[in-house]
Every structure is written in C-alpha cells, then in structure tokens.
Amino acid sequence: MIYMKKFIFSLSAAIMLTVCPLLARAQNNVDTKIAVNSSTDDKTFVVIISNENYKHEESVPFAKNDGEVFKVYCQKTLGIPEDHIRFAPDATLGEMNFAIYWLGNMLNAFDGEARAIVYYSGHGMPDENGKEAYLLPVDGFSQMTEGALSTKNLYSKLKEMNSRNIMVFLDACFSGAKRDGKMLASSRGVAIRVKNDPVGDNTVVFSAATGDETAYPYKSQKHGLFTYYVLDKMQKSGGYTTLGELSDYVAQQVKRKAVVENNGKSQTLTVIASSNNNGWRNWRFASTAAKKFENRVVATSTPAPAPVQRPAPTTP
C-alpha cells in the first residue's frame, strides 16, 4: 500500500509538472486571453480575408485561424461593431473584389470621417516578368496572374476611398514561396524580389516579409509569425498602441523568432507609406486601452461524426 501511494504521488507530480506549464501558457495565449474594450469605435470599417484551403495550390497553414482571431481582436479589443467587419475566409477573386467594393461604399457614406483596416492572410505570388505582387484567391493558381488581385490595383482603389486613414496588414510573401519555405508551383525554384507598389497618402501597409524572404508560420501558436506578434502587441497594449510602436515591436520580435524557428532564415517586416505621409507612426489602433480580459474558448478537436443509421435487416 505504501509503495502504491508513492507511485500515485509521483505520477500526480509528473502530470502536474507537465500540465501546469501548458495551462499557464494557454491562459496567456493570444487566442484565449482577449483584451476587451469598454469603448465602441463606430467609425472604423474592416475587411479580413484569410485564404487557407486552396483548390489548385497547397494550403496555407493557420491562415483561417489568423483571420478568425484578428476579427475577435477588432471586435473585442478595438471595439469595432460586427456589422462594420466583413470577414471573407477562403475567398474567391469575386469575393475579394466585393469586400473591397463594400469597404469603399462604407467609407464614402461617412464623408471622410471614418477609417479602415484591411487584413489578408494567404498566398502571395509574383509576376515573374513584371515583378508585380499579387494576392491569390482560393480558386486561383500561381501560373495565371489574371485570376489574382494585384497589390497595385488594391492600393489604387484604397487611394480613391474617402477615409481618414487606411491600415493594411499582409501576412503573405510575394517571392513565390509558401509558408513552409518551399516554392509555389509556378516558380522557377528561386525567390523573386517584387517591387513595392506605391500607396496613397491615406494608406500605410505592413507586409510580413521583404524582398525574397518567406512569411513563416509560428507552428506552436497556430498562426503566421507576423500575425501572432501583431495580436500579441494588441493584447499587451489593450489596443492602445501607435503604428510606430506596433511596427517597432513586430519587426523586432519577428526578426528574432524567425531565425530561431527556421534554422537561421530571416523574415523582415516591411512598411510602405507615401513620402507625404509623415504622421503614420502616430496613428493609433484604439483611442482607449482595454482594461479587462475575457477567456475565449477554443475548440481543440473535431467532434466525431454521428453514427450512420442502417435499416434493420428484413426477413424474407
């Protein structure tokens, strides 16, 4: 009996040593510990596109989770009403274009008093001839730029929108690489350095990687590396952060974690703003800080399918 008690005690201690660190990490995870703002921001509109399950290309790990959790932060931490957010997971080209069209209509109705956030997670792709960058819809494929949304056209549309400011976050790379570092089907096996398209004075773009780099995943956190640290800064600041503070934090964290997670391979945040936009670093996410937190329940497994009901055998 004494030996049995010692065994049970040792087993319990081992379980606690294993489980407690996991529970502690889960309590502070960006997916589960959400800062909640008491203020409502009814003059911000959001488009979120998270393309994970491609029909003709390999999937993008965790892209759907990126978009879902970014939406939660927009609602909870920034206080943006749900009907001000258009969330398009696994979007086709038509759905991506409609989301941008919707955004323009919303901003125009507010006569320049509103602002916008555009978030994209998924495949980016290069045009090997013109060095143009594209966002790839789930029904597109990397050998045809005609079925993709060029960042040049996107930025041109945003420039024409009547908005105080527009913040764009792209968790994608445009070198022809996937999140695992391998190349898309259309690439020649070498990364391509695309050119940065110009943006309007009302727009600033945060892109997850620069030049010929890959936008890597953060596998243990089930996010893109770039997206994880954007969410992490929002969580820690309660949303009350300037874009300058955000860019400095994300750039540092992504640079450090990328080399550790990916055997020395680099990932560098790129910020694109017009030469006339000298004040973007002072733009704020939320006007007030979220002071309380709530726990968000995250499903950890897929429920088993219901058993198939088969008719009872009949006797002749």
Side-chain angles (χ1 to χ4, degrees):
M1 181 65 70
I2 294 174
Y3 291 113
M4 180 61 70
K5 287 182 179 179
K6 287 183 177 180
F7 172 75
I8 293 173
F9 176 80
S10 299
L11 180 62
S12 300
I15 292 173
M16 291 299 291
L17 287 172
T18 302
V19 172
C20 286
L22 295 175
L23 291 175
R25 190 181 73 175
Q27 290 173 355
N28 293 311
N29 188 284
V30 296
D31 286 24
T32 57
K33 184 182 179 183
I34 310 297
V36 181
N37 209 316
S38 58
S39 299
T40 299
D41 180 357
D42 59 1
K43 289 187 177 180
T44 298
F45 292 89
V46 184
V47 165
I48 300 171
I49 298 169
S50 54
N51 289 345
E52 178 169 339
N53 301 300
Y54 282 82
K55 296 180 181 179
H56 309 293
E57 301 287 348
E58 290 187 27
S59 63
V60 177
F62 318 125
K64 185 178 179 182
N65 191 45
D66 286 339
E68 288 177 347
V69 181
F70 191 85
K71 180 186 176 185
V72 171
Y73 273 78
C74 285
Q75 288 182 258
K76 299 288 188 178
T77 309
L78 303 186
I80 301 169
E82 185 170 11
D83 59 2
H84 284 219
I85 302 171
R86 187 162 192 87
F87 178 40
D90 288 340
T92 64
L93 180 59
E95 290 166 341
M96 291 170 68
N97 281 325
F98 182 79
I100 301 303
Y101 173 81
W102 170 88
L103 181 64
N105 282 344
M106 297 301 106
L107 294 175
N108 289 337
F110 277 69
D111 302 315
E113 297 180 6
R115 63 174 188 163
I117 299 172
V118 177
Y119 173 87
Y120 175 82
S121 181
H123 279 314
M125 58 175 279
D127 171 14
E128 295 185 359
N129 296 319
K131 303 298 187 291
E132 300 285 347
Y134 291 82
L135 307 178
L136 190 63
V138 292
D139 58 342
F141 57 100
S142 55
Q143 293 164 314
M144 278 190 63
T145 58
E146 292 88 346
L149 176 63
S150 76
T151 57
K152 182 178 181 179
N153 288 342
L154 172 62
Y155 301 159
S156 177
K157 291 177 181 178
L158 297 178
K159 181 180 179 180
E160 299 303 318
M161 293 182 187
N162 192 8
S163 174
R164 283 193 288 124
N165 56 61
I166 300 176
M167 296 168 278
V168 180
F169 298 88
L170 304 178
D171 198 340
C173 59
F174 303 98
S175 62
K178 300 177 292 186
R179 269 193 176 174
D180 62 4
K182 298 177 182 177
M183 308 306 289
L184 287 169
S186 69
S187 74
R188 296 170 294 186
V190 294
I192 298 168
R193 182 180 292 271
V194 297
K195 56 190 177 184
N196 291 330
D197 294 307
V199 300
D201 295 345
N202 66 339
T203 303
V204 61
V205 177
F206 290 78
S207 188
T210 187
D212 52 5
E213 295 176 339
T214 297
Y216 288 105
Y218 194 172
K219 294 179 181 178
S220 65
Q221 301 301 324
K222 300 187 185 306
H223 280 293
L225 189 60
F226 165 75
T227 295
Y228 174 82
Y229 282 111
V230 171
L231 298 174
D232 186 49
K233 181 62 175 177
M234 291 171 70
Q235 182 198 59
K236 290 177 176 176
S237 66
Y240 189 70
T241 181
T242 65
L243 291 194
E245 293 166 343
L246 179 72
S247 66
D248 292 344
Y249 179 79
V250 173
Q252 182 185 73
Q253 298 301 320
V254 166
K255 180 177 70 172
R256 292 177 176 179
K257 183 60 68 173
V259 296
V260 172
E261 292 275 313
N262 301 290
N263 297 319
K265 296 177 182 177
S266 64
Q267 181 178 332
T268 310
L269 172 70
T270 299
V271 180
I272 307 171
S274 78
S275 58
N276 295 323
N277 187 355
N278 298 317
W280 68 265
R281 288 183 60 88
N282 297 321
W283 296 359
R284 282 199 178 274
F285 252 169
S287 58
T288 60
K291 298 294 186 182
K292 62 179 182 178
F293 291 86
E294 72 176 28
N295 294 323
R296 173 174 174 261
V297 178
V298 180
T300 57
S301 62
T302 303
V308 177
Q309 298 295 328
R310 300 184 183 278
T314 58
T315 56

